[in-house]
Amino acid sequence: MERKPVLAIISPCYNEEEVLPRTNERLLDLLERMVQRGEVSGDSRVVYVDDGSRDGTWQLIDRYVAQCHRVCGVKLAGNSGHQNALMAGMQAVVDWADAQVTIDADLQDDIEVIPEMVKDYVEQGCDIVYGVRRERTTDTWFKRTTALGFYKLMHHLGVKSVYNHADFRLMSRRATQQLLKYRERNLFLRGIVPLIGYKTAQVYYDRAPRTAGESKYPLSKMLNFAVDGITSFSIKPVRLVLCMGGIFILIALAMFIYVLYSYFSGRAVTGWASMILSIWFVGGCVLVGLGVVGEYIGKIYIEVKDRPRYNIEKIEKK
């Protein structure tokens, strides 16, 4: 590129009052260094998206906007969720930013690899640069094991995803414009972004522990996120239910033949315990199948209503 790219660093915030002062200091310092080195334009900005916080997060963002021209704020009218907050931020900057980097406000992802992302964008022409963790030593055994299992499951279901990548990535303007055309309400950006198909690269980093505040992804939200990722990109669970139904029909036919054989051979059929166990087992499988199908029907119900994914209350900038 002949001119320096305008970079937007987008950070979704939900009740991040404790960590935001340090985050703002570090991001502005990084952006200033990149401007001085000539890596990005002086019009580059840090954009905070307040996802309906209940603490003083927006007041802090409002103050930072007033103090520094490099800070912008987007306030959502309510809590729309992490993925929707990211989309709102990207929508807000796509008209003026040549490239944008999304990163969580806790800055556990290493911001010092952002210049490397920009370099891949400028010199290699990469439209998407993924931030990928080298290892998961900062996670608990449970989180590390379940994350590995989730990535493997997504791979077997045929979902395109980048292993050990969350939502720390750089995207060019044209990649962002393509992403914004995806209108589904059940967002799983880690699966959608690879579908865009433009040239990509990866940068590797070590994830740091959270320095303040609490994680906004407890186990319940992680499970919901995983379910959204699976059901939004694959119909294989429904096909699995169909296969299970076929298997049970074959078992039922085999049992029918056995009953006929026992009847004509004069053998007594006691089998009460096995019958009860079979009823419970088959009944459980039926309920699981109904639950899987119901999950997909619920997704269809949400999609056909075509409601806005988020409502922006205000945008603050100098």
Side-chain angles (χ1 to χ4, degrees), residues 83 86 90 100-103 117 128-131 165-171 179 189-191 193:
Q83 302 289 280
L86 286 174
M90 289 187 279
Q100 49 187 259
V101 172
T102 54
I103 186 170
M117 290 179 168
I128 304 170
V129 184
Y130 298 104
H165 163 71
D167 288 302
F168 180 34
R169 69 180 74 88
L170 177 145
M171 296 183 65
L179 176 62
L189 294 178
R190 302 175 198 184
V193 173

Side-chain angles (χ1 to χ4, degrees), residues 50-309:
D50 179 25
D51 186 24
S53 298
R54 296 189 300 268
D55 59 3
T57 297
W58 177 250
Q59 287 72 23
L60 284 175
I61 295 173
D62 204 25
R63 185 196 310 166
Y64 298 151
V65 172
Q67 292 174 347
C68 181
H69 70 283
R70 294 200 191 281
V71 179
C72 301
V74 178
K75 180 176 175 59
L76 302 186
N79 180 239
S80 302
H82 178 266
Q83 302 289 280
N84 285 322
L86 286 174
M87 290 292 279
M90 289 187 279
Q91 179 73 65
V93 308
V94 68
D95 291 333
W96 55 264
D98 297 310
Q100 49 187 259
V101 172
T102 54
I103 186 170
D104 290 344
D106 55 23
L107 295 194
Q108 288 183 267
D109 300 316
D110 186 7
I111 65 173
E112 296 302 327
V113 301
I114 293 179
E116 188 177 346
M117 290 179 168
V118 174
K119 183 178 180 181
D120 285 338
Y121 162 67
V122 174
E123 298 183 2
Q124 305 299 325
C126 297
D127 287 284
I128 304 170
V129 184
Y130 298 104
V132 180
R133 296 172 63 174
R134 288 193 181 92
E135 52 189 0
R136 307 185 72 96
T137 54
T138 58
D139 292 344
T140 62
W141 176 88
F142 176 78
K143 187 172 183 179
R144 185 167 56 251
T145 304
T146 53
L148 177 61
F150 173 70
Y151 281 113
K152 287 185 176 180
L153 176 61
M154 295 292 282
H155 175 73
H156 289 305
L157 291 176
V159 181
K160 291 183 178 180
S161 61
V162 179
Y163 179 67
N164 271 347
H165 163 71
D167 288 302
F168 180 34
R169 69 180 74 88
L170 177 145
M171 296 183 65
S172 68
R173 177 182 292 167
R174 73 166 185 162
T176 303
Q177 290 170 338
Q178 292 301 315
L179 176 62
L180 293 173
K181 293 179 181 179
Y182 288 78
R183 300 302 305 165
E184 56 255 51
R185 267 59 188 163
N186 300 286
L187 285 173
F188 184 69
L189 294 178
R190 302 175 198 184
I192 296 177
V193 173
L195 297 178
I196 295 175
Y198 293 152
K199 185 177 181 180
T200 67
Q202 298 181 7
V203 297
Y204 296 88
Y205 67 95
D206 295 315
R207 187 172 170 87
R210 175 180 269 267
T211 57
E214 298 179 352
S215 172
K216 303 308 181 293
Y217 263 91
L219 180 59
S220 59
K221 283 192 175 182
M222 289 174 61
L223 290 174
N224 289 333
F225 190 57
V227 170
D228 280 344
I230 293 170
T231 57
S232 296
F233 285 89
S234 178
I235 63 170
K236 287 187 178 181
V238 175
R239 290 177 179 171
L240 179 61
V241 172
L242 179 61
C243 292
M244 288 174 59
I247 291 171
F248 286 128
I249 290 174
L250 293 176
I251 293 175
L253 289 173
M255 291 298 296
F256 178 69
I257 294 172
Y258 174 74
V259 169
L260 289 178
Y261 170 76
S262 300
Y263 175 77
F264 287 112
S265 63
R267 295 182 179 182
V269 180
T270 53
W272 180 86
S274 61
M275 182 62 70
I276 293 298
L277 289 174
S278 298
I279 291 173
W280 277 96
F281 177 70
V282 175
C285 291
V286 170
L287 290 176
V288 169
L290 289 175
V292 172
V293 175
E295 186 69 30
Y296 281 91
I297 293 174
K299 292 289 190 298
I300 296 171
Y301 170 71
I302 293 173
E303 294 293 339
V304 298
K305 288 189 292 186
D306 199 28
R307 291 176 178 172
R309 288 183 296 213

